[in-house]
Amino acid sequence: MNMSRHSATPRESPVAPPLGKWRITLMLGLILVAAALLMGRVVLLQVVDRPFLQSQGDARTLRHEDIPAHRGMITDRNGEPLAISTPVITLWANPQEIPEDAIQRMMLAQALGISLEDFDARLARYSEHEFMYLRRQMTPDDAQRVLNLRTPGVYPQHEYKRYYPAGEVAAQLLGVTNVDDLGQEGLELAYQPYLAGHVGQRRIIKDRRGRLVRELGVVEEAQPGGELTLSIDQRLQYMAYRELRLAVAEHEADGGMLVMMDARTGEVLAMANLPSYNPNNRAGLDPRGLRNQAIVDVFEPGSVVKPLAMAAILESDVFDRDVVVDTSPGWMRIDRFTIHDIRDYGELDLAGILEKSSNIGMSRLALELSDTTIWDKYNQLGLGQSPGTGFPGEATGSLPAPVRWSRSERAALSYGYGLSVSALQLASAYTAIANGGERLPPSLLRLSQAPAGIPAIEPAIANDLLQVMETSVGASSGGRRARVDGYRVGGKTGTVRKNNSQGYAENAYRSVFVGIAPISDPRIVTVVMIDNPKAGEFYGGAVAAPVFSSVTGNALRLLDVPPDQQTR
């Protein structure tokens, strides 16, 4: 038996692939899928969503920050600063970042100059906000002392603050700015766009706490405001304010105003008002002090318009130059009213009527003229019209149209009642007498050259009125206290009863004086008004004329005008 036929070679079974190979394949597949997803996500973020994501990132770190513009300086005619902007720092805080630590809060409150209770109360009030002011417009040194505490959540903001070197002396003319450096009153308001300049911008990166990390560059440069040069002479302004304040105090008056104008150009050299205020510290100010009374307030001028009315009388050709008017017995009845002079002056020529300030003489002359003669002259001289300075709220005054006027109204117009004017309008009207018959519009800005005058009075008559006004301050006249040693001056006094809701007050007056100096070659026109003097004297010649004398004498010397004795 062949045993070999029955023996079998062992059959080989199929070999299964190792388990590790499947795992490798699976892992590779998963990695490839993950890589594909990751690459897709990268593409999505970097290409599709890139603008959105970048804007969101920039919003959290990149900032466009304003660059404050330096407000333009205001100077007097000689370049002396009247209003300047100084750098200050405003501190603000994110209430949500202020630490809860009581000691840190107490130190911060003390550095800010407030009580801890008030500070905590403010934090509680703004607890749901991310911004609150801590203190506005601090000096850099004071602000740095607070910042040196390194209190989390406290940040600086650089700004500018307006400072007025002249203080109360020129407050109403200049006006003020608010805490955001925007003009609120006076010339600061009138020239706000010009003075403010244009805010710039820069790109910066800040961290999550708002701290500056890096400056990326300036997007737009800040444009500083323009410089404003006024017609005011600071030396004359100080002197005028000082003399006005002394007079108001001496006569226990409610206030006063003074306007000094260049008789050759119409530039306002000084403009003072009382009451006033300190624009650098407005705590507890009297609201009356905010008003630039010389421009925005009006009053009945009284006798100071008699020279202007006399110009109309002389130009009318109704009267000869040598006409004599009988003013006896010192009073006259017109309609239902009685007009008085201080006493019976008897017969007066035209110069005498002005020198004695006779209401009777002016009334009798005016009643012989047409209804519109004096009104037309006042209109030519700018009364009842806007002065055109651009000052906010400047008054036009009142010059009623001559429609169905009574005789008493025509007479009253000739001696200064029935109309209202501002001190600035009066000064401008008087430049026609001082400037050869041409009226000069007032200017609060320095002029490069004298403007063309507005013909208002015949030159020969303007010269005659100058000479008559000089006699009105003669040694025996009511305006004698306006005289100035060494100079020929002229002017006109006025004493006006104040009116109220019931009519004219019994014992309340305005004392007025308008003068020109020197008569030989007029350089300045000055208007002085003292409101309601209560110390006894109230006539314009006793109260306002001495102010004119002091101010004019000092002004002529400061302006280097040679005394008349040296010019003869």
Side-chain angles (χ1 to χ4, degrees), residues 299-466:
F299 55 93
E300 286 184 306
S303 295
V304 293
V305 299
K306 287 176 180 175
L308 310 180
M310 187 61 74
I313 293 168
L314 291 172
E315 289 179 359
S316 68
D317 292 330
V318 174
F319 304 100
D320 295 330
R321 295 292 183 90
D322 57 355
V323 66
V324 173
V325 178
D326 186 3
T327 66
S328 296
W331 62 272
M332 65 183 294
R333 186 82 173 170
I334 305 178
D335 299 334
R336 299 176 292 106
F337 302 96
T338 302
I339 302 171
H340 295 272
D341 283 342
I342 295 177
R343 62 182 179 85
D344 183 0
Y345 293 116
E347 293 185 343
L348 296 173
D349 60 12
L350 298 183
I353 290 173
L354 285 184
E355 181 182 350
K356 303 299 183 183
S357 196
S358 171
N359 293 337
I360 305 300
M362 292 300 300
S363 297
R364 288 184 170 161
L365 292 170
L367 291 175
E368 296 296 322
L369 304 176
S370 70
D371 288 353
T372 63
T373 300
I374 292 178
W375 185 93
D376 287 338
K377 181 55 60 183
Y378 288 170
N379 188 60
Q380 284 181 297
L381 291 165
L383 305 187
Q385 303 168 34
S386 171
T389 63
F391 192 88
E394 68 176 4
T396 60
S398 173
L399 183 61
V403 178
R404 295 191 298 274
W405 274 0
S406 65
R407 285 169 53 84
S408 60
E409 289 172 322
R410 288 167 52 196
L413 202 66
S414 70
Y415 56 82
Y417 283 83
L419 74 159
S420 63
V421 300
S422 69
L424 184 65
Q425 286 178 312
L426 265 182
S428 177
Y430 264 75
T431 60
I433 298 176
N435 194 46
E438 294 191 349
R439 180 177 71 86
L440 296 168
S443 175
L444 300 175
L445 304 182
R446 189 184 67 185
L447 303 175
S448 58
Q449 61 183 13
I454 304 168
I457 301 175
E458 293 178 11
I461 291 176
N463 185 64
D464 288 345
L465 289 172
L466 270 180

Side-chain angles (χ1 to χ4, degrees), residues 11 13 68 71 79 185 277 285 448 526:
R11 184 178 296 178
S13 60
R71 191 173 179 86
E185 300 281 348
Y277 70 101
L285 67 85
S448 58
T526 303

Side-chain angles (χ1 to χ4, degrees), residues 91 108 111-112 138 142-150 154:
L91 295 181
L108 179 58
L112 292 169
M138 302 176 68
D142 289 344
Q144 192 58 50
R145 280 192 284 272
V146 179
L147 294 172
N148 286 342
L149 297 175
R150 299 186 180 278
V154 176

Side-chain angles (χ1 to χ4, degrees), residues 171-176 183-192 290 292 390-392:
Q172 298 93 345
L173 177 62
L174 297 172
V176 291
Q184 298 296 292
E185 300 281 348
L187 294 176
E188 292 276 29
L189 174 59
Y191 290 91
Q192 164 62 25
L290 291 170
N292 189 349
F391 192 88

Side-chain angles (χ1 to χ4, degrees), residues 27-155:
M27 291 299 295
L28 287 175
L30 292 174
I31 289 171
L32 290 174
V33 171
L37 291 173
L38 182 61
M39 290 300 296
R41 181 61 176 168
V42 169
V43 171
L44 181 67
L45 293 177
Q46 293 294 322
V47 178
V48 179
D49 291 341
R50 180 184 178 89
F52 172 77
L53 294 174
Q54 186 169 6
S55 67
Q56 291 299 304
D58 288 348
R60 287 160 174 77
T61 59
L62 187 63
R63 302 282 193 274
H64 281 80
E65 186 177 75
D66 285 344
I67 304 174
H70 190 278
R71 191 173 179 86
M73 183 165 60
I74 302 178
T75 69
D76 82 338
R77 65 185 302 107
N78 300 312
E80 293 297 322
L82 295 173
I84 57 178
S85 289
T86 57
V88 293
I89 295 177
T90 286
L91 295 181
W92 64 276
N94 183 342
Q96 299 178 13
E97 297 178 5
I98 297 294
E100 295 292 336
D101 182 70
I103 294 179
Q104 282 186 294
R105 290 194 177 202
M106 181 181 67
M107 293 176 64
L108 179 58
Q110 288 178 344
L112 292 169
I114 59 178
S115 68
L116 179 59
E117 292 77 12
D118 289 343
F119 182 61
D120 285 341
R122 289 191 62 201
L123 284 176
R125 194 161 59 247
Y126 288 92
S127 60
E128 297 183 1
H129 298 77
E130 295 184 354
F131 179 92
M132 79 173 195
Y133 283 118
L134 293 176
R135 189 169 165 189
R136 299 295 303 268
Q137 298 187 341
M138 302 176 68
T139 65
D141 288 343
D142 289 344
Q144 192 58 50
R145 280 192 284 272
V146 179
L147 294 172
N148 286 342
L149 297 175
R150 299 186 180 278
T151 306
V154 176
Y155 308 102

